[in-house]
Amino acid sequence: MPVFTQTCSADPVADSTVVLVAPTCTCGCLSDTDMILLDSDGVDLASSSPAPWDNDPAHGLFIHINGVRHWAICALNTSLTSVHHGHADKNKLALLKQQQQQKLIGGLALLRKPPVSTLTVRTDPFAPARIQPTRTGHLYAGSRFRGKQRSGTSSYEVMVDIKDVNLKDSSICGYLHINGLTVDYPELTTFFDAEIIGNAHSFVTKKWDADVKTDKEHWTMFKQFESMSETFSEEKFKYDFKGQDVIFMRWKEHFLVPDHRVDAIVGASFAGFYYICYNKLTGEIDGFYFHRSSEKFQKLTLTHIADRSVSFGSYEFR
Amino acid sequence: MLYCRRLQDIISARDDKDSQLKTQAVIVLGSFAFGNESNILALTNSGVLEPLLNCLNPTGDPKLIEAAARTLNAIYASPRVSRLELFMGNHLNVLVQLLDAYSSSYRMGQEAVLLHTAELVASILARCCETIDQQMQIAGSGAVPLLMRLLASGACKSQEAALGALAALVKDNPDLAQHIAQMRLERGERPAPYILRLVRDKSPNMRLAAATCLTYMNRAGVIPEHNSDIMLTVLPTLVKMLQLNCSVQEAAPKVLAYLIWESESMQKAVCDMDAIPKLASIISQVDEEDNVYGIVGQKDKLKENSLLALAAISQMKEDCRRQVIEAKVLPHIVMAMSHPSVGIRAAACQCTRSLSRSVKNLRTSLVDAGIEAPLFQLLSDSDPGVLSSATATLCNIVLDVSPMKKSIMDRGIVLKFVQMIGFGDNVVRLNAVWAIKNLVFEADSDVKEAVMRQFGYHNLAQLLNDGELAIQEQALNLVRNLACKREQDIDQVFSGLGNGQLFSIIEDKLTWDDLRLLEHALYVLVNIATGSEYHKQSIMKRPGILRSVLGLMSHESAAIRVATIWVIINLTWPDDRLAQGVHDRVVVLRSLGVEDRLQALNSDHDLDVRDRVKTALHHFHLDQQQYGHAAMTAAEQAGSAGTTGGASRYSQGTTTTTTITTNRSAAMGLGQVPVSGATAVVGAGGDAFGTTAVTDATPSGVVGTPSHERR
């Protein structure tokens, strides 16, 4: 019975770096000096001929998948480090083998290593600087929200199209469509970008005519902010949006879509900005519009639009 | 050139008696080499290198050696001169010996000549050190310790020369850089802290040389302990050089660019040091001077390097891009895209590439600056560097958020891309597939169809198994985008690639240990699973794929786990009209152990995973409420037991009447239907999902479900 002096890893499927297994055996099927080197595919590198115990049911520790011999023991846990001869251990091994088989049925065969690319030879400084699409909860490129904005007694239909989510840069952008705001533009679409509150952007706005008082009275409209309402403006206050159930943001509209050159519209203004709170658990977005000379606390409420089943395309800046 | 021949004869003479004449001849040759590049090439074409290299014989006259080294240094200033001779025979070893200016074998009174020779040799080595092979040969001949000694010599010029050679040795060569970083100078000090002090030297040339050397070491990743020094000392030194009106101004932006590529924090730091307005003013000033004197090319290098620095600064951060736009330099960048100098065109294109990585810029400033036409023009550029950065920029221009997408498509961009995939080098091919992938993202069905008519599905099939993994990845992403949104889009992909081939490819990709391939392959499935019954069933007919999906549900990457759960969610999406199909899929997936695996993921540490798992499990619970856990097996054994909704008749093409239950009491009612195992349903009522089901399900009565919707 081979004794494994070093097992690869508790979970070699997740850990593809498994390399070395050194079996020795007391039953004579393997000499003490035999070392079996395995690559991460679990393929025996040291000997091409099958080991004497390869097909022996008592020793059958290899499993063949598509002609590649996989080191079954890799997926077993480290408790196997001292398996000895004996009937009791036979049962144990059988059990472990069974577990292993089940894992394989579950598709847990070790994944193949892809070939190494030659594209890196010519140096493209952008190659390692990819802006991979990111997502969190309902915030991803292509996601949509629908809802209302209330201003005084009126209420307008609002749609939001998320176009780009870059969590690394703490930024999101998209289009905001409002219906029925003015006669000239029954459907008004603006481009907005979002600052995600966290390490990159503080709760304190310091721009767009907002002072700390403004910040406080708006952020405290969100109950999830309550615990921070006294400390958020302190110098040492730190906040990380990762792992939170809500994401606070500031949304700032910049120009019209499709014609970005139009900068003033009669009867509508997008000079202010929104204090936003997105709830990951419900997919809802609440917001309050702020502009020095506009009605205070115009409320934006949005819910995520879930199509029937969801398909996802993907683009990436180059 | 006859004259040159004669000079060569003189220096090639075997006797060493008249070394003075030889020296004179070498000096005259050198004076030609200081002319321009065509002179240099004329010299080397007449075979002057070999006799010059032979003059370096260390036992010879030090004056002759010095003169020969100076002439060689001038010749190697041209990158077009072959470096081959230097690495043949014993020349390199002889050259490296000359670095040893303090060797005891030399005669007194000649220190100055020897030191100067060593400087020249260091400079020659720096110029002949462009490939890894050359770097390794130079290091292998023992140059490094001698360069270290020269570095610590305290003599200004020698130190600069040594820094130049060391920088050339460590550039893009992590192994050698590691070796050099670990060496010790005479007093036991490591080179990096010593060089760091030279970054603060009085002489701008020394500062530049030291900053360059540390930059290359930093990028090779061998001096992590000095990261903060790089940020606090090297970076500001380089930025300040942008304002020095001397020779360092030209090279500094290039080094700066090299240092900050890929590093968000450094790009931001440089941005905060107000480098952008400085670079912008350099670029517009050069343009102005060119206009005034009517001579293009006076300061080409300065302009090229400054454009590169702008490209690097705005590579990753939106805030930096904003500053570039606000500096009003974009019109100059666009003009530079049609500059006669290849280097400037390529650098300008890198700028537009950086700037176009932003939805906002795509919608505004880039449209206003009119980059579309010059960019399209560059697709006919003969230079591969220009072509690759132009195609990369186009990847961003064809995104759906870009107003330029339509007009550039009208110019026939797709056909251009298709041609490039056929004939370009690998970088250009990669960019072209990337661009097509971006172009069909969120596109209408007719756009997708038109693109694929030009592209050809057979070409796509080939790219899916391309030798370059990066190209495979993009091709797979393209399939993902093609099969997105509408059933007719999925149909197109099915008929284009053929189901069998499509699923074989996906099945294969799911076994590769590459996150990006896995993710795209999974999302191809996710998207197909939004389609018709036929589409969903096609996935269910591939046990290999189902096994892989199940296995990947325990993948270490949360993004992969989320993708697998989406496959399950879409395959089990409740649909009153197609209840039988949904149920059958749930049954198969459950028997494979999917539900158990989902249960295990209920406590996943990733919030997104847990969230998706809730939805998926909810689908299983809905099914359980309607059919009971064991009911299906009983029903299936019973065959045509008309009283149950679980009869597996759909495959025969008949219509089954299914009772859809929409609330808990009704579900329990179903439990009373005399089918064995139905008690399991009652158990489900106690679960949290029982209540969710009540609120979520759409009320509906008896619905007739066609068993096979299509084909």
Side-chain angles (χ1 to χ4, degrees):
Chain A
M1 172 60 58
V3 174
F4 298 94
T5 49
Q6 190 188 347
T7 327
C8 308
S9 153
D11 186 5
V13 177
D15 173 15
S16 59
T17 58
V18 276
V19 239
L20 180 69
V21 179
T24 56
C25 186
T26 47
C27 70
C29 67
L30 208 68
S31 77
D32 281 352
T33 51
D34 264 351
M35 289 276 282
I36 296 197
L37 270 173
L38 300 167
D39 68 10
S40 52
D41 279 341
V43 179
D44 178 357
L45 297 173
S47 67
S48 50
S49 63
W53 29 275
D54 193 6
N55 294 315
D56 177 351
H59 296 107
L61 294 167
F62 285 110
I63 291 172
H64 293 264
I65 307 150
N66 299 335
V68 177
R69 194 171 64 163
H70 288 264
W71 188 240
I73 211 75
C74 288
L76 304 180
N77 64 41
T78 41
S79 67
L80 241 189
T81 43
S82 58
V83 178
H84 296 289
H85 251 144
H87 297 290
D89 292 320
K90 265 193 177 165
N91 290 337
K92 194 174 171 189
L93 188 70
L95 186 71
L96 288 166
K97 266 185 72 182
Q98 195 189 340
Q99 286 174 3
Q100 171 65 11
Q101 292 283 6
Q102 280 168 354
K103 284 194 178 182
L104 283 171
I105 290 163
L108 268 183
L110 294 173
L111 295 171
R112 288 184 286 165
K113 275 270 174 255
V116 178
S117 168
T118 55
L119 267 178
T120 45
V121 173
R122 206 169 89 197
T123 45
D124 174 7
F126 285 74
R130 290 177 59 167
I131 307 180
Q132 299 248 28
T134 49
R135 55 179 303 156
T136 178
H138 310 80
L139 299 175
Y140 53 90
S143 105
R144 307 179 97 192
F145 294 83
R146 188 167 33 212
K148 286 183 169 63
Q149 175 161 341
R150 286 185 191 285
S151 165
T153 53
S154 344
S155 155
Y156 304 94
E157 262 179 58
V158 176
M159 270 264 285
V160 166
D161 268 333
I162 303 291
K163 288 295 175 189
D164 187 33
V165 177
N166 186 343
L167 297 176
K168 224 175 140 203
D169 203 17
S170 295
S171 69
I172 290 175
C173 71
Y175 301 157
L176 208 147
H177 316 264
I178 293 196
N179 281 354
L181 204 56
T182 77
V183 182
D184 294 343
Y185 291 91
E187 274 177 57
L188 195 65
T189 302
T190 56
F191 169 90
F192 72 93
D193 60 17
E195 299 178 344
I196 300 176
I197 308 298
N199 294 329
H201 305 285
S202 131
F203 280 105
V204 184
T205 308
K206 282 190 196 149
K207 55 187 170 187
W208 304 327
D209 294 329
D211 54 23
V212 175
K213 188 171 151 276
T214 325
D215 290 333
K216 188 168 176 175
E217 63 187 21
H218 283 87
W219 289 127
T220 48
M221 300 292 283
F222 307 115
K223 70 175 193 308
Q224 293 93 338
F225 181 76
E226 254 165 38
S227 60
M228 298 177 275
S229 60
E230 296 307 316
T231 48
F232 78 98
S233 57
E234 286 170 16
E235 191 78 9
K236 61 174 193 292
F237 181 82
K238 290 264 182 293
Y239 181 79
D240 191 354
F241 67 85
K242 291 192 191 83
Q244 307 276 352
D245 288 345
V246 291
I247 291 181
F248 295 102
M249 291 177 266
R250 273 184 291 268
W251 286 7
K252 172 80 184 118
E253 294 163 286
H254 291 280
F255 49 83
L256 286 192
V257 174
D259 190 354
H260 67 277
R261 294 182 188 91
V262 178
D263 50 0
I265 317 147
V266 180
S269 144
F270 49 85
F273 71 96
Y274 292 89
Y275 291 89
I276 294 284
C277 178
Y278 155 66
N279 188 329
K280 272 191 200 176
L281 302 175
T282 60
E284 286 164 3
I285 293 178
D286 289 334
F288 293 95
Y289 185 73
F290 169 74
H291 181 242
R292 216 171 15 148
S293 49
S294 295
E295 178 199 321
K296 271 198 168 181
F297 303 118
Q298 294 181 42
K299 189 174 183 188
L300 179 71
T301 46
L302 298 165
T303 48
H304 181 247
I305 304 175
D307 303 330
R308 25 195 315 273
S309 41
V310 195
S311 58
F312 303 96
S314 148
Y315 73 95
E316 186 182 339
F317 288 119
R318 184 73 179 110
Chain B
M1 278 299 120
L2 263 179
Y3 186 47
C4 179
R5 194 81 252 159
R6 177 77 193 111
L7 289 169
Q8 263 185 56
D9 290 344
I10 295 172
I11 61 173
S12 309
R14 285 206 163 268
D15 63 301
D16 290 334
K17 280 175 206 148
D18 207 353
S19 74
Q20 251 187 337
L21 179 64
K22 271 193 181 182
T23 309
Q24 292 302 326
V26 169
I27 291 172
V28 174
L29 281 174
S31 66
F32 293 148
F34 277 104
N36 56 38
E37 197 167 41
S38 57
N39 281 359
I40 295 176
L41 294 175
L43 279 178
T44 52
N45 284 341
S46 69
V48 79
L49 276 175
E50 190 63 28
L52 276 174
L53 285 164
N54 285 332
C55 288
L56 298 175
N57 177 15
T59 57
D61 179 358
K63 283 253 162 63
L64 172 62
I65 295 171
E66 185 197 12
R70 183 187 288 114
T71 301
L72 282 166
N73 188 36
I75 288 173
Y76 285 124
S78 161
R80 289 166 70 189
V81 170
S82 158
R83 267 64 177 154
L84 219 59
E85 288 87 350
L86 184 73
F87 292 93
M88 297 213 294
N90 201 32
H91 295 317
L92 182 60
N93 285 327
V94 170
L95 207 58
V96 166
Q97 279 177 48
L98 294 172
L99 283 173
D100 193 0
Y102 301 97
S103 155
S104 53
S105 66
Y106 291 117
R107 287 145 286 189
M108 290 289 288
Q110 291 184 327
E111 288 91 348
V113 176
L114 296 177
L115 199 58
H116 189 223
T117 305
E119 288 160 14
L120 288 165
V121 169
S123 168
I124 292 170
L125 293 179
R127 286 172 174 177
C128 299
C129 199
E130 282 146 347
T131 66
I132 292 212
D133 190 44
Q134 291 168 346
Q135 287 169 329
M136 289 321 214
Q137 285 203 48
I138 292 172
S141 61
V144 178
L146 297 172
L147 287 169
M148 290 286 179
R149 215 195 296 171
L150 208 57
L151 174 66
S153 68
C156 217
K157 289 282 162 209
S158 309
Q159 289 180 306
E160 275 173 34
L163 284 170
L166 287 171
L169 284 170
V170 298
K171 189 180 184 194
D172 297 326
N173 189 335
D175 294 336
L176 193 48
Q178 179 68 28
H179 172 72
I180 289 175
Q182 294 304 316
M183 288 184 73
R184 306 235 178 225
L185 298 171
E186 270 163 24
R187 283 201 216 116
E189 193 180 11
R190 299 243 189 251
Y194 187 90
I195 302 174
L196 200 61
R197 286 199 295 279
L198 297 178
V199 176
R200 302 190 190 91
D201 195 86
K202 284 197 304 292
S203 146
N205 285 323
M206 179 78 88
R207 292 205 297 273
L208 178 65
T212 307
C213 196
L214 285 177
T215 291
Y216 294 163
M217 290 173 97
N218 173 267
R219 287 307 306 272
V222 297
I223 45 169
E225 67 276 23
H226 289 291
N227 279 349
S228 64
D229 296 317
I230 300 284
M231 192 77 129
L232 298 172
T233 310
V234 177
L235 215 52
T237 304
L238 287 167
V239 173
K240 275 181 207 145
M241 282 180 193
L242 300 177
Q243 279 172 314
L244 291 181
N245 228 335
C246 63
S247 59
V248 296
Q249 193 196 27
E250 185 184 294
K254 188 174 185 176
V255 180
L256 184 66
Y258 189 87
L259 179 59
I260 65 174
W261 284 123
E262 301 160 37
S263 163
E264 240 179 283
S265 54
M266 286 206 225
Q267 289 164 16
K268 180 164 191 326
V270 174
C271 195
D272 292 344
M273 289 174 212
D274 281 333
I276 291 172
K278 285 172 197 161
L279 289 163
S281 84
I282 292 174
I283 291 167
S284 46
Q285 231 170 341
V286 172
D287 275 357
E288 239 166 70
E289 283 169 25
D290 282 352
N291 280 341
V292 170
Y293 303 116
I295 323 160
V296 176
Q298 288 264 309
K299 288 188 170 174
D300 278 4
K301 269 285 161 205
L302 175 61
K303 185 171 173 179
E304 174 184 334
N305 293 347
S306 303
L307 285 166
L308 267 185
L310 275 186
I313 295 174
S314 51
Q315 184 189 27
M316 298 179 83
K317 289 206 74 86
E318 182 70 13
D319 194 41
C320 304
R321 288 182 204 118
R322 184 181 51 77
Q323 284 201 30
V324 174
I325 302 296
E326 284 170 3
K328 306 234 177 291
V329 66
L330 193 51
H332 295 280
I333 297 174
V334 175
M335 254 175 2
M337 291 167 79
S338 328
H339 198 277
S341 151
V342 169
I344 290 182
R345 287 202 302 279
C349 228
Q350 293 286 58
C351 274
T352 53
R353 179 176 179 185
S354 284
L355 294 174
S356 65
R357 301 176 112 193
S358 143
V359 177
K360 190 177 183 181
N361 289 346
L362 284 172
R363 286 221 69 95
T364 55
S365 43
L366 295 174
V367 184
D368 293 342
I371 65 159
E372 190 193 315
L375 197 57
F376 194 81
Q377 200 62 46
L378 289 182
L379 290 181
S380 319
D381 206 286
S382 55
D383 182 74
V386 173
L387 194 60
S388 71
S389 46
T391 45
T393 310
L394 278 166
C395 291
N396 303 334
I397 303 294
V398 298
L399 280 168
D400 82 310
V401 291
S402 155
M404 295 167 276
K405 174 177 183 168
K406 183 162 185 317
S407 47
I408 204 137
M409 279 178 74
D410 292 344
R411 286 176 193 263
I413 195 77
V414 173
L415 202 62
K416 283 267 186 192
F417 288 144
V418 172
Q419 286 164 355
M420 283 177 205
I421 290 169
F423 302 107
D425 67 21
N426 273 345
V427 180
V428 170
R429 287 174 65 231
L430 173 67
N431 288 344
V433 192
W434 197 306
I436 291 183
K437 166 201 83 175
N438 276 358
L439 193 144
V440 300
F441 170 71
E442 295 273 292
D444 293 336
S445 299
D446 50 341
V447 171
K448 289 179 182 177
E449 207 178 326
V451 167
M452 288 316 289
R453 216 177 297 127
Q454 297 187 60
F455 189 7
Y457 272 98
H458 58 285
N459 285 326
L460 176 57
Q462 262 180 13
L463 292 177
L464 285 164
N465 288 313
D466 195 272
E468 280 302 335
L469 202 62
I471 290 177
Q472 281 191 32
E473 178 200 329
Q474 294 307 318
L476 203 54
N477 194 167
L478 173 57
V479 176
R480 170 181 174 176
N481 288 358
L482 286 171
C484 193
K485 287 268 190 287
R486 289 161 289 258
E487 285 181 14
Q488 68 180 100
D489 295 7
I490 305 173
D491 280 338
Q492 269 192 37
V493 177
F494 269 41
S495 60
L497 282 173
N499 301 8
Q501 181 174 237
L502 171 65
F503 283 114
S504 298
I505 290 169
I506 299 300
E507 186 164 348
D508 174 65
K509 301 305 173 207
L510 288 176
T511 64
W512 288 106
D513 185 14
D514 181 275
L515 279 184
R516 288 161 181 168
L517 280 187
L518 285 176
E519 194 172 335
H520 289 312
L522 285 169
Y523 276 106
V524 172
L525 295 175
V526 170
N527 292 352
I528 291 174
T530 62
S532 64
E533 274 300 289
Y534 175 74
H535 297 139
K536 293 179 204 224
Q537 282 309 121
S538 312
I539 297 176
M540 297 303 292
K541 281 185 199 143
R542 304 289 300 215
I545 289 182
L546 295 180
R547 270 201 298 275
S548 283
V549 171
L550 183 70
L552 292 169
M553 287 173 81
S554 356
H555 196 275
E556 58 187 339
S557 152
I560 297 294
R561 294 200 298 278
V562 168
T564 58
I565 301 165
W566 269 117
V567 177
I568 306 299
I569 290 176
N570 285 353
L571 283 175
T572 58
W573 196 272
D575 188 336
D576 294 350
R577 294 167 298 128
L578 305 162
Q580 186 60 59
V582 178
H583 173 60
D584 288 346
R585 284 191 292 277
V586 167
V587 167
V588 171
L589 293 173
R590 189 180 276 143
S591 74
L592 281 172
V594 168
E595 194 176 12
D596 294 343
R597 197 63 62 87
L598 287 169
Q599 296 285 5
L601 290 175
N602 234 337
S603 52
D604 199 277
H605 64 84
D606 187 89
L607 181 71
D608 279 349
V609 173
R610 290 200 306 273
D611 241 29
R612 298 283 72 80
V613 163
K614 267 185 218 159
T615 314
L617 278 175
H618 177 55
H619 291 178
F620 280 86
H621 280 264
L622 280 179
D623 179 81
Q624 198 172 324
Q625 282 186 327
Q626 285 171 14
Y627 300 94
H629 213 306
M632 72 85 196
T633 22
E636 247 150 22
Q637 281 160 2
S640 55
T643 46
T644 69
S648 176
R649 285 213 219 130
Y650 88 106
S651 55
Q652 288 145 28
T654 57
T655 301
T656 316
T657 305
T658 309
T659 309
I660 306 292
T661 54
T662 56
N663 56 45
R664 209 160 103 195
S665 58
M668 286 161 85
L670 182 71
Q672 289 148 16
V673 173
V675 172
S676 66
T679 40
V681 177
V682 184
D687 194 287
F689 288 95
T691 44
T692 325
V694 177
T695 49
D696 277 10
T698 341
S700 59
V702 178
V703 181
T705 45
S707 58
H708 248 287
E709 211 178 34
R710 41 203 315 131
R711 294 184 210 215

